[in-house]
């Protein structure tokens, strides 16, 4: 029998993710891919995979899978309880499963997204060079359901024997470095306005982080002005007419008609991927 | 032309016109610089994203500033004909607004050659320029909650085809059976920036 993994439970949302499909934005296709990229890379190393293998991104944990073949797995992201057939196994370590054993991920106390890597990687059919599910463009394997059977590739490497990998903290306050522009001149004193405390709202998803706070005010000259559609990248902070910013994440639209006041530097994106509703964000211009 | 910073690894080239934008896009794409991750045209801009830490942006800027931008010939442009049944719900409205007959609307729409200027809104949705003046009409006051896949529509200076069913506020002229986007195909999008497009009436 070919190697496979059976989904038993999914929690709120479990998606197959790899490093996405950048390079297709000119066709209207978002980059997609794991939101917390370092967490997926680490899980893959612990499972003995190339870092770009496909794993599962499980929002708020709650994922349970049964191995249909012997495999090495690893769970990363926020610190979270992991059990094998009910016995504690731990996160951020390689875990061996024999055929028939069930791995269950608990609900993390902090952070949002747990990553499961399995030796050989999830081997569903790629679309546009990636196995990632894009929730906006609806490309890639549909959200996982209990009963789904996921094919696994052939194991190709030796698991990283990490002694201790510490899960990154997910603090309730984040200081996020940004580069101002390209449309900061649409706003009066953009740096100052952005430095206000912003709260992550529950409307946030893989498309973007929707923030609440003091509405960003345009300059008088730009009040009511229209912006012809222009390209958007991950990390762009777009400001719709209501003045409440959206930080675009991996499944963002490829073009948009509202001004982008600043762009989050890439190394700050993993923390945003783990920012729960209620988290406070302050943007600080960088360089 | 202005170069605007777009985060640490990207720049937005702001152009005077759609033609200049198309020329900048074509020059950059034709060069095939390996350090560029995305080249995304917009209505008046080209977004260029480079591999972090690379010299891709500097190379792109040098290329654009030393190029003659009169020609928008990207070298990879294709000519595509899309068969359309002109049975759209807004055909009468469009004819009334333009002060012409429905047949004249169809003649205008099929008589022009369009260029895919940029994409967005959904995978495979191209914004096509070259729309005859009488057909340049505003969006519907109230967008539809569902526009069927394959709908051929107009709004402002653009015409386009909805790749799949979605909400939308463009005025509907008709529909096509053509597949606009298939993520498993070797050429996933029927329409890519720079392509030339004509619509042909079928009954």
């Amino acid at each position: 029998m070919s190697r496979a993994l059976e989904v038993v439970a999914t929690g709120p949302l479990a998606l197959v993710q790899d490093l996405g499909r950048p390079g297709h934005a000119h066709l209207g296709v978002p980059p997609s891919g794991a939101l917390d990229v370092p967490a997926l890379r680490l899980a893959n190393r612990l499972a003995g995979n190339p870092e770009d293998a496909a794993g599962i991104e499980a929002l708020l944990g709650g994922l349970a899978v049964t191995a249909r073949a012997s495999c090495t797995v690893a769970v990363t992201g926020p610190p979270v309880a992991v059990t094998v057939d009910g016995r504690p196994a731990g996160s951020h370590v390689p875990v061996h499963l024999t055929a028939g054993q069930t791995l269950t991920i608990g609900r993390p106390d902090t952070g949002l997204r747990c990553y499961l890597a399995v030796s050989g990687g999830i081997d569903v059919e790629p679309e546009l060079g990636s196995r990632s599910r894009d929730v906006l463009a609806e490309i890639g394997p549909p959200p996982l359901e209990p009963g789904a059977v996921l094919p696994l590739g052939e194991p190709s490497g030796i698991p990283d024997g990490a002694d201790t990998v510490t899960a990154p903290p997910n603090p309730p306050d984040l200081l996020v470095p940004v580069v101002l522009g390209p449309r900061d001149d649409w706003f009066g004193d953009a740096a100052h306005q952005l430095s206000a405390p912003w709260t992550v709202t529950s409307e946030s998803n893989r498309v973007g982080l929707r923030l609440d706070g003091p509405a960003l005010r345009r300059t008088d000259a730009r009040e009511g002005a229209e912006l012809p559609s222009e390209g958007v990248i991950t990390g762009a902070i777009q400001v719709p007419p209501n003045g409440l910013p959206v930080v675009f994440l991996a499944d963002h639209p490829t073009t948009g008609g509202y001004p982008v006041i600043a762009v989050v530097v890439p190394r700050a994106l993993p923390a945003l991927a783990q920012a729960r509703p209620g988290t406070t964000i302050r943007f600080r211009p960088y360089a | 032309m202005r170069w605007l910073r777009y985060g640490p690894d990207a720049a937005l080239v702001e152009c005077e016109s759609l033609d200049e934008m198309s020329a900048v896009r074509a020059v950059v794409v034709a060069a095939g610089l390996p350090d560029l991750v995305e080249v995304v045209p917009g209505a008046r801009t080209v977004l260029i994203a480079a591999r972090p830490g690379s010299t891709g942006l500097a190379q792109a800027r040098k290329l654009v500033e030393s190029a003659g931008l009169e020609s928008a010939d990207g070298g990879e442009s294709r000519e595509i004909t899309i068969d359309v049944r002109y049975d759209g719900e807004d055909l009468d409205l469009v004819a009334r607004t333009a002060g012409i007959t429905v047949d004249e609307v169809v003649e205008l729409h099929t008589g022009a050659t369009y260029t895919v200027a940029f994409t967005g809104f959904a995978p495979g949705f191209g914004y096509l320029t070259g729309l005859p003046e009488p057909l340049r009409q505003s969006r519907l006051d109230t967008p539809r909650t569902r526009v069927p896949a394959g709908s051929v529509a107009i709004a402002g200076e653009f015409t386009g085809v909805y790749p799949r069913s979605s909400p939308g506020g463009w005025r509907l002229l008709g529909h096509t059976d053509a597949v606009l986007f298939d993520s498993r195909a070797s050429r996933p999008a029927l329409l890519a920036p720079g392509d030339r497009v004509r619509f042909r009436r079928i009954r």
Side-chain angles (χ1 to χ4, degrees), chain A residues 23 25-27 127 137 183 229, chain B residues 14 38 43 119 124 164 183-184:
Chain A
H26 62 291
L27 302 179
E127 293 178 48
R183 302 291 176 196
S229 282
Chain B
E14 190 174 49
E38 304 274 13
T119 64
R164 61 184 187 204
S183 61
R184 294 175 189 274

Side-chain angles (χ1 to χ4, degrees), chain B residues 132-143:
Chain B
E133 193 64 46
L135 301 184
R136 299 188 181 187
Q137 301 182 8
S138 58
R139 287 160 194 256
L140 300 171
D141 292 335
T142 310

Side-chain angles (χ1 to χ4, degrees), chain A residues 22-29 125 127-128 136-139 179 181-183 185 228-233 236 254-255 260 263 266, chain B residues 2 4-10 12 14 37-40 42-45 47 118-120 122-124 164 181 183-184 188-189 192-193:
Chain A
H24 299 93
H26 62 291
L27 302 179
V29 178
E125 194 67 33
E127 293 178 48
L128 288 163
L136 180 76
E138 296 178 341
I139 297 173
V179 176
R183 302 291 176 196
D185 61 343
S229 282
E230 58 190 29
V232 169
I233 60 174
T254 54
T255 56
V260 169
V263 180
Chain B
R2 283 203 302 164
L4 304 172
R5 209 171 166 197
Y6 204 131
D9 309 310
L12 192 67
E14 190 174 49
V37 182
E38 304 274 13
V39 179
V40 192
R44 294 289 179 276
T45 54
L47 171 63
F118 61 100
T119 64
R164 61 184 187 204
F181 187 79
S183 61
R184 294 175 189 274

